[in-house]
Amino acid sequence: VAMGGGLFFLAAPEVIRVELTGRLRPWVSAKDVILHLLRILSTKGNVNKVLEYAGNGVQTLSVPDRATITNMGAETGVTTSIFPSDEMTRRFLRAQGREQDWVRLEADSDAVYDQTIVVDLASVEPMVALPHSPGNVVPVREISGQPVDQVIIGSCTNSSLRDLTVSGEIIKNRKVNPRVSFAVAPGSRQVLKMISEAGILGNFIDAGARIMESTCGFCIGSGQAPRTKAVSVRTSNRNFEGRSGTASAGVYLVSPETAVLAAVNGKFTDPLSLPPGEYPEFRMPELFAVDDSMIIDPFEPGKAPLPTRGPNIGEPPRNTPLPEDLRGEIGIKTGDKITTDHIMPAGPRLKYRSNIEKYSRFVFEGVDPRFSERAAGLRDRGQAVFIVAGESYGQGSSREHAAMCPMYLGVKAVIAKSFERIHAANLVNFGIVPLTFVEPEDYTALSPNDSLVLEKIRSRLEAGEDIELSAPGRRIKLKHALSTRQIEIVLAGGLLNYTREKGN
């Protein structure tokens, strides 16, 4: 697949058809649809799968609705999510001044699927993901009345013109509950301009909202950290423990409608308890406020300014080719559902992301504060660092630093019960071998600081042979799911080395 000027490689995935029927009721929106699906699929067991949406319910969903649903498909662990490109898509691109870019995209009439899930949109109700997982989903009615301390609308998942317009109309002529800290983060400059011109921004300001930048911001713990033991209600896509910047806070994921009602009432409120006639109607504009005048074309000679690199910005580190044998120690043993936030904290640490030497000091900071020191010591003594993990290792974002910084610390292999796809791919890209137990119970036989040996791992990968781990008192069989190309990348010590070797 050609992508971004080069080739994009992926294994042919299984495809799950999500057949949408009917239409959403007033006070129910796209966020509730994807939370409903997360309740069905959970956050694990969906690696190397694709969600393909179909059915007559698709045409009732706008492009921003579809973007919300596909954005949070990542939380299920699938490779990607896709909607057809239809007349709704065409109207959206026309309103953005890009109708010439529209193409029809739909499944073949004889397409065959590995699984089908039918969702009646009319039966979907307002949902909420409880702490500390996007898959911990229940109907809002089950926690209705629970007090809340903070409400934030925005992030990549629910910050569109549609989401903010509906929220702004709901809060018009109302005030935020005195117990609640309320903030709004528009998704783009375009959205901010349009809600300003329409008076929606004024509604938020009059109600007592703080207006945030159009960035990840609060979602990754960069600002708006809730108070100790707070109940924080957010429209973002992830609610992992500590991600908000406050370890003791509980983050709840909801739709914009549920969020704004919580802000006004100071407690969770089931939106379906309100009359359908009070639900604001949103119409997609005939023309968006398109202004590309300040965008610099990087391909226009002389126009793109050279980046300025300060002392905190360095070159990306390079790994070394995989040796014939890997000998070292277990630097850390983790449990299940370790996220990229556990591995590589964001929030106040994110400012070091261009300084790998500094940023690597915080790897696994919230799990084992001494990991980085211990790993660097093993590395400096010429020993490999191994990570042993449980199920679903590497949940969450595509944060490449969760592989880059461990690589810098000398991590050579991660041995887990199972991996999430994006993180496993990132490990390969940085020359770290992702291996899984043939017998999951062998996980219990390994302990932190155990000395391990992966004998002839280079030769065995090249020959397609089984991988064996020599551990204290036993030998453990391991397996991998690497393609031929990925094996070549790992042998080279990562994608950077591989690309330079191949001259690509």
Side-chain angles (χ1 to χ4, degrees):
V1 181
M3 185 175 184
L7 294 177
F8 180 76
F9 296 84
L10 74 159
E14 294 183 20
V15 181
I16 301 173
R17 174 185 169 95
V18 182
E19 185 172 346
L20 304 178
T21 64
R23 179 185 294 271
L24 293 171
R25 293 173 287 174
W27 297 105
V28 184
S29 62
K31 184 62 162 283
D32 301 308
V33 176
I34 188 58
L35 289 175
H36 176 83
L37 274 169
L38 274 159
R39 195 182 192 192
I40 296 171
L41 293 170
S42 80
T43 59
K44 66 177 183 177
N46 305 302
V47 173
N48 292 327
K49 297 181 182 180
V50 164
L51 295 176
E52 181 182 311
Y53 292 87
N56 57 32
V58 166
Q59 61 188 311
T60 70
L61 299 174
S62 68
V63 168
D65 292 335
R66 300 175 190 187
T68 293
I69 293 169
T70 54
N71 187 324
M72 276 195 71
E75 315 321 317
T76 69
V78 298
T79 299
T80 193
S81 306
I82 189 170
F83 272 87
S85 175
D86 52 16
E87 289 304 314
M88 184 73 77
T89 317
R90 186 173 193 161
R91 288 198 294 273
F92 180 83
L93 287 175
R94 181 187 302 136
Q96 290 283 6
R98 295 179 51 208
E99 187 174 6
Q100 73 278 3
D101 296 326
W102 178 83
V103 292
R104 184 173 294 280
L105 181 66
E106 57 189 357
D108 295 336
S109 58
D110 59 350
V112 177
Y113 298 89
D114 297 281
Q115 181 184 351
T116 297
I117 299 173
V118 179
V119 176
D120 176 12
L121 294 176
S123 69
V124 175
E125 59 181 311
M127 309 296 283
V128 52
L130 308 177
H132 296 286
S133 172
N136 190 15
V137 178
V138 300
V140 174
R141 57 179 166 77
E142 291 189 9
I143 61 169
S144 184
Q146 178 179 326
V148 306
D149 304 295
Q150 182 189 59
V151 176
I152 309 182
I153 296 175
S155 93
C156 60
T157 315
N158 281 119
S159 57
S160 68
L161 179 66
R162 179 264 167 212
D163 293 326
L164 297 195
T165 298
V166 170
S167 303
E169 290 291 353
I170 294 171
I171 209 168
K172 185 177 182 180
N173 297 325
R174 298 181 180 181
K175 297 293 183 183
V176 174
N177 188 281
R179 65 170 288 118
V180 175
S181 172
F182 180 48
V184 176
S188 67
R189 177 174 175 268
Q190 182 187 78
V191 170
L192 179 59
K193 177 178 174 62
M194 292 184 73
I195 64 171
S196 176
E197 292 176 343
I200 298 298
L201 181 62
N203 292 350
F204 284 125
I205 294 172
D206 289 343
R210 300 171 180 173
I211 310 303
M212 302 288 102
E213 293 178 283
S214 300
T215 64
C216 293
F218 68 90
C219 183
I220 57 171
S222 293
Q224 296 302 303
R227 69 167 175 80
T228 301
K229 298 181 180 180
V231 171
S232 178
V233 181
R234 302 179 172 204
T235 64
S236 45
N237 53 351
R238 292 169 190 144
N239 60 341
F240 302 141
E241 186 174 11
R243 180 179 170 90
S244 67
T246 305
S248 65
V251 175
Y252 297 70
L253 307 180
V254 298
S255 70
E257 292 87 343
T258 300
V260 75
L261 291 175
V264 170
N265 296 328
K267 59 185 178 181
F268 281 101
T269 304
D270 182 3
L272 289 180
S273 65
L274 280 74
E278 292 185 10
Y279 187 62
E281 181 181 4
F282 174 76
R283 292 183 180 275
M284 194 65 66
E286 293 295 322
L287 186 65
F288 284 86
V290 178
D291 179 6
D292 295 337
S293 61
M294 289 183 284
I295 295 178
I296 299 172
D297 186 347
F299 299 104
E300 193 172 346
K303 289 294 184 71
L306 293 174
T308 300
R309 290 193 173 190
N312 197 46
I313 300 177
E315 292 293 327
R318 292 178 61 179
N319 203 348
T320 55
L322 187 70
E324 179 67 0
D325 301 323
L326 283 179
R327 300 175 182 273
E329 294 182 9
I330 297 175
I332 189 171
K333 182 179 180 181
T334 73
D336 297 338
K337 295 185 178 181
I338 288 295
T339 72
T340 51
D341 287 279
H342 286 117
I343 304 167
M344 203 66 259
R349 305 304 189 192
L350 202 60
K351 63 187 176 183
Y352 299 120
R353 65 187 307 166
S354 296
N355 183 339
I356 303 305
E357 187 279 327
K358 178 73 172 180
Y359 200 19
S360 68
R361 300 178 193 177
F362 307 109
V363 175
F364 284 119
E365 180 183 29
V367 181
D368 180 356
R370 296 194 60 192
F371 169 79
S372 62
E373 180 183 355
R374 184 164 56 251
L378 289 168
R379 175 200 63 194
D380 293 344
R381 294 194 299 273
Q383 296 288 298
V385 180
F386 297 98
I387 294 172
V388 174
E391 296 280 3
S392 197
Y393 183 79
Q395 282 191 355
S397 70
S398 58
R399 189 175 303 159
E400 65 178 0
H401 292 77
M404 185 190 302
C405 289
M407 178 272 286
Y408 178 81
L409 290 174
V411 174
K412 295 296 183 182
V414 179
I415 305 164
K417 291 183 180 180
S418 66
F419 290 92
E420 291 303 308
R421 184 195 66 85
I422 294 176
H423 185 63
N426 280 343
L427 290 175
V428 170
N429 287 343
F430 288 98
I432 298 174
V433 189
L435 299 167
T436 54
F437 295 99
V438 171
E439 301 295 339
E441 58 267 25
D442 283 333
Y443 165 85
T444 60
L446 299 177
S447 301
N449 302 319
D450 278 354
S451 294
L452 306 181
V453 182
L454 284 170
E455 296 176 354
K456 299 182 180 179
I457 184 171
R458 184 179 184 91
S459 297
R460 286 173 171 168
L461 286 173
E462 289 177 313
E465 298 175 354
D466 293 338
I467 308 296
E468 278 197 353
L469 176 70
S470 176
R474 66 187 302 160
R475 297 185 72 83
I476 295 173
K477 291 185 178 181
L478 305 174
K479 58 185 177 179
H480 66 81
L482 303 178
S483 67
T484 300
R485 177 176 175 273
Q486 287 181 314
I487 290 173
E488 293 178 355
I489 292 172
V490 166
L491 294 177
L495 185 58
L496 187 58
N497 293 349
Y498 172 84
T499 302
R500 286 173 174 168
E501 287 179 6
K502 296 291 184 180
N504 294 334

